[in-house]
Amino acid sequence: MIETENKTGQESLEAIDEIQEPQFELEDSNAPFRGGARDDSQAKWYVVHTYSGHENKVKINIEKIVENRGMKDLILEIVVPTEDRVEIKNGQRKVKTKKMFPGYVIIKMIVTNESWYLVRNTQGVTGFVGHGSEPIPLTNEEVRRMGIEKVYIDLDIDVGDTIKVINGPFESFMGIVEEISMEKQTLRVKISMFGRDTPVELGFGQVDKI
């Protein structure tokens, strides 16, 4: 659901100048936080579009504002998804960490007028991914594929099945399942690398059954 095409700087500045705070029709359970505990199950993951290269700055800025305003019950977690990529140079294996979605930050939050306004007006943010001013939350499947939160997965897979790795340093590799741990939500998989079979441990969220 993430669009990879960025706005131009001028378009983004114009959009910020014209911003108006939306008036969400909130039930009592979603009213702006005024103290006391809030049920974390109401929170969902949302995608926020930023200027390219400003992802970490946006994360830090929002975290500071949340801390200063005591809004930890509305904005629970902010993530700039990264992944390790294996590169082979001069016969040496190197692992480099790269942003999975340049220009985007993922936020677990309860959307109210107050929390929306805080995020939307943070320096470096150009908007939420959604329809107009209404953010659209990620589905559980999208959260699983992005690896931003551990989600219990009922994976229909057996020893001997073929899988494809969908994220992490072994992304796009194929493998054969050798062991399954339902409790740990992990698989032991035999992957063919550099002409030989290599056993690796992967989380359920890192694979798709072929």
Side-chain angles (χ1 to χ4, degrees):
M1 71 179 286
I2 297 179
E3 298 177 2
T4 56
E5 190 172 316
N6 290 349
K7 293 181 178 180
T8 65
Q10 183 61 37
E11 289 174 335
S12 298
L13 290 172
E14 290 175 356
I16 291 175
D17 290 339
E18 296 173 359
I19 184 173
Q20 294 182 352
E21 181 179 357
Q23 296 299 313
F24 298 107
E25 295 183 3
L26 304 171
E27 300 176 359
D28 290 343
S29 61
N30 279 343
F33 180 67
R34 301 301 182 196
R38 186 184 289 275
D39 182 3
D40 288 355
S41 65
Q42 298 176 50
K44 296 183 183 297
W45 288 98
Y46 296 87
V47 179
V48 174
H49 190 196
T50 73
Y51 291 119
S52 182
H54 286 235
E55 302 87 357
N56 290 326
K57 290 181 182 178
V58 166
K59 178 180 186 295
I60 292 170
N61 288 340
I62 294 176
E63 287 174 343
K64 286 180 179 178
I65 298 171
V66 168
E67 177 72 27
N68 292 337
R69 296 188 183 179
M71 293 175 63
K72 290 183 178 179
D73 289 290
L74 284 177
I75 299 176
L76 284 69
E77 191 173 352
I78 305 159
V79 176
V80 178
T82 60
E83 63 180 348
D84 292 334
R85 293 268 186 179
V86 177
E87 295 183 0
I88 309 296
K89 286 187 177 180
N90 300 323
Q92 293 186 332
R93 181 177 180 270
K94 294 184 179 181
V95 178
K96 288 191 175 182
T97 301
K98 295 185 178 181
K99 292 184 180 71
M100 293 173 65
F101 309 108
Y104 294 93
V105 172
I106 319 299
I107 303 181
K108 187 174 187 180
M109 62 186 289
I110 298 170
V111 174
T112 66
N113 292 331
E114 185 179 12
S115 64
W116 183 95
Y117 193 83
L118 183 158
V119 173
R120 183 62 182 81
N121 286 275
T122 297
Q123 185 175 4
V125 171
T126 63
F128 281 92
V129 172
H131 298 305
S133 63
E134 182 180 353
I136 296 178
L138 294 171
T139 66
N140 286 338
E141 175 64 16
E142 287 168 334
V143 171
R144 178 183 82 83
R145 282 180 167 272
M146 294 169 72
I148 55 178
E149 182 177 65
K150 185 164 184 176
V151 177
Y152 183 82
I153 303 163
D154 184 14
L155 191 63
D156 180 20
I157 203 163
D158 296 306
V159 172
D161 285 347
T162 300
I163 58 89
K164 180 179 181 179
V165 184
I166 58 174
N167 62 51
F170 301 102
E171 183 178 355
S172 299
F173 278 91
M174 311 285 281
I176 305 296
V177 178
E178 294 187 318
E179 294 180 19
I180 301 172
S181 173
M182 299 301 295
E183 181 179 353
K184 295 181 179 180
Q185 296 265 287
T186 59
L187 302 167
R188 186 176 177 83
V189 178
K190 183 171 62 178
I191 290 177
S192 180
M193 296 178 61
F194 314 120
R196 63 180 182 180
D197 291 336
T198 303
V200 298
E201 185 174 270
L202 301 169
F204 281 10
Q206 292 181 274
V207 305
D208 267 345
K209 182 178 177 180
I210 300 301

